[in-house]
């Protein structure tokens, strides 16, 4: 898919989930390089820069997209000629996509070790990393129950329950506001991540922080499944993560509520590090306090050289 259609598919949530949008962004830049017919370096760099901005503007919260796009463009402008620029975009993109898919696989294997027979697990929204952990544990022969939230307003929980049921897992769909009632039956929570800040806070689908609060109250273990390209270098410099607000029509259709009613539709929220027992990454399971160190090791020093 080209850059414009990829950005539109991300904006409209045809492509969604932090890992997928990062890979889609990298893949759109790969497509740009492979189909480039211009002849000079300056025009290519200008087109690459415009493509980068279009992709980054599509959804603001998941740093995975920022890290993916920057991993692809890194070093390109220092190349001596157009052919080397195109070759570097291609190899960077392919490397990012392969590593990202491999990271999800590693997280499944590492996370599955935390699951035992008889566990009752809650998950929220639809995270391929969290679903991967549950499916891997089941494939290893572990038997457990899952409660999955509906995740209003987009109801990504429907995708989760169908994926888990198809794999054979005993899964129950609940509405978001049932989380605290159901927490008394649960002993573990697994969720995904859009962004993890340098001080270990989690930015994920709105409602995640309520799940974490209920888990803390009930002393239920709360695990985050996050590839290290969801760690945000910008937060180290004090940048706040932008919480996306989507169309109010997603909450109530036009005409459904009186015109004087205001609607607020933030689609992500922030869970403080103190509510998180561990973050399961492809580099191993870490405490929220270790995010900075792992971020430097995994993303490399150049990820901290802030370009816009
Ligand atoms: C999806 C969501 C997921 C994370 C992680 O939100 O919050 O938990 O993106 O997903 P949306 P993954 O549906 O608005 O994109 O583990 O697949 O990267």
């Amino acid at each position: 898919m080209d850059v414009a259609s990829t950005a539109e598919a991300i904006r409209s949530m045809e492509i969604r989930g932090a890992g997928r949008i990062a890979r889609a962004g990298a893949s759109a830049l790969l497509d740009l390089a492979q189909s480039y017919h211009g002849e000079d370096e300056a025009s290519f760099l200008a087109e690459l820069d415009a493509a980068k901005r279009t992709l980054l503007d599509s959804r603001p919260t998941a740093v995975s997209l920022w890290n993916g796009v920057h991993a692809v463009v890194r070093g390109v402008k220092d190349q001596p000629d157009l052919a080397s620029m195109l070759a570097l975009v291609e190899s960077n993109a392919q490397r990012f996509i392969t590593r990202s898919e491999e990271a999800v696989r590693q997280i499944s294997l590492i996370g599955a070790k935390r699951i035992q027979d008889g566990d009752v697990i809650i998950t929220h929204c639809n995270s391929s990393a969290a679903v991967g952990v549950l499916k891997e544990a089941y494939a290893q022969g572990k038997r457990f129950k899952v409660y999955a939230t509906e995740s209003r307003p987009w109801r990504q929980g429907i995708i989760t329950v169908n994926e888990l049921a198809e794999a054979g897992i005993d899964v129950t769909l609940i509405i978001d506001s049932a989380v605290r009632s159901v927490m008394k039956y649960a002993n573990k929570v697994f969720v995904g991540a859009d962004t993890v800040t340098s001080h270990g806070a989690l930015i994920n689908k709105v409602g995640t922080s309520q799940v974490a609060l209920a888990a803390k109250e009930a002393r239920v273990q709360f695990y985050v499944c996050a590839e290290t390209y969801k760690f945000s270098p910008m937060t180290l410099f004090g940048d706040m993560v932008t919480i996306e607000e989507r169309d109010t029509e997603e909450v109530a259709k036009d005409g459904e509520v009186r015109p004087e009613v205001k609607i607020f539709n933030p689609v992500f929220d922030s869970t403080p590090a103190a509510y998180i027992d561990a973050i399961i990454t492809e580099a191993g399971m870490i405490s929220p306090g270790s995010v900075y160190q792992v971020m430097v090791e995994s993303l490399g020093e150049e990820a901290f050289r802030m370009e816009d």
Side-chain angles (χ1 to χ4, degrees), residues 16-252:
R16 48 148 297 283
R20 286 194 191 91
I21 66 175
R23 285 189 290 277
S27 166
L29 296 176
L30 174 64
D31 177 86
L32 176 81
Q34 284 175 336
S35 57
Y36 191 72
H37 295 304
E39 288 187 353
D40 70 293
E41 291 84 17
S43 319
F44 176 66
L45 288 176
E47 207 167 309
L48 188 64
D49 194 53
K52 179 177 106 177
R53 282 169 208 287
T54 303
L55 290 166
L56 295 181
D57 283 349
S58 61
R59 280 193 94 180
T61 300
V63 76
S64 51
L65 180 59
W66 193 97
N67 278 329
V69 164
H70 281 83
V72 176
V73 302
R74 193 158 295 136
V76 173
K77 64 175 182 323
D78 304 324
Q79 295 307 301
D81 53 48
L82 183 60
S84 338
M85 288 177 177
L86 297 175
L88 188 60
V89 168
E90 287 185 37
S91 60
N92 280 350
Q94 271 149 352
R95 188 177 330 105
F96 177 80
I97 293 166
T98 308
R99 283 191 179 172
S100 156
E101 286 166 346
E102 181 53 27
V104 177
R105 175 83 196 126
Q106 278 304 319
I107 289 170
S108 301
L109 294 170
I110 297 167
K113 293 194 183 135
R114 312 312 303 174
I115 297 180
Q116 275 104 38
D117 279 335
D119 276 351
V120 179
I121 294 165
I122 292 181
T123 189
H124 182 54
C125 192
N126 177 255
S127 152
S128 42
V131 166
V133 167
L134 301 173
K135 282 166 70 170
E136 176 59 31
Y138 187 84
Q140 290 177 4
K142 297 176 181 178
R143 293 298 172 256
F144 51 90
K145 282 180 197 287
V146 178
Y147 285 92
T149 57
E150 177 190 14
S151 191
R152 275 272 295 151
W154 269 77
R155 307 185 77 220
Q156 295 94 328
I158 302 291
I159 306 171
T160 300
V161 292
N162 285 333
E163 283 182 349
L164 296 179
E166 201 184 337
I169 298 171
D170 177 346
V171 59
T172 305
L173 178 67
I174 55 170
I175 59 168
D176 302 321
S177 41
V179 157
R180 187 160 175 258
S181 305
V182 169
M183 197 59 78
K184 59 176 164 289
Y185 310 122
N187 64 335
K188 281 168 197 161
V189 174
F190 286 85
V191 293
D194 275 77
T195 292
V196 177
T197 71
S198 58
H199 53 289
L202 164 68
I203 316 298
N204 192 49
K205 180 54 55 192
V206 69
T208 303
S209 65
Q210 288 175 174
V211 180
L213 199 61
K216 183 92 172 163
E217 178 193 43
R219 295 171 188 268
V220 165
Q221 294 162 36
F222 188 92
Y223 294 104
V224 177
C225 308
E227 306 89 300
T228 51
Y229 59 86
K230 290 167 177 176
F231 289 7
S232 167
M234 296 86 103
T235 55
L236 189 62
F237 303 106
D239 268 19
M240 304 293 278
V241 178
T242 306
I243 301 291
E244 179 183 5
E245 281 177 43
R246 292 185 67 89
D247 197 329
T248 56
E249 279 260 315
E250 292 179 355
V251 179

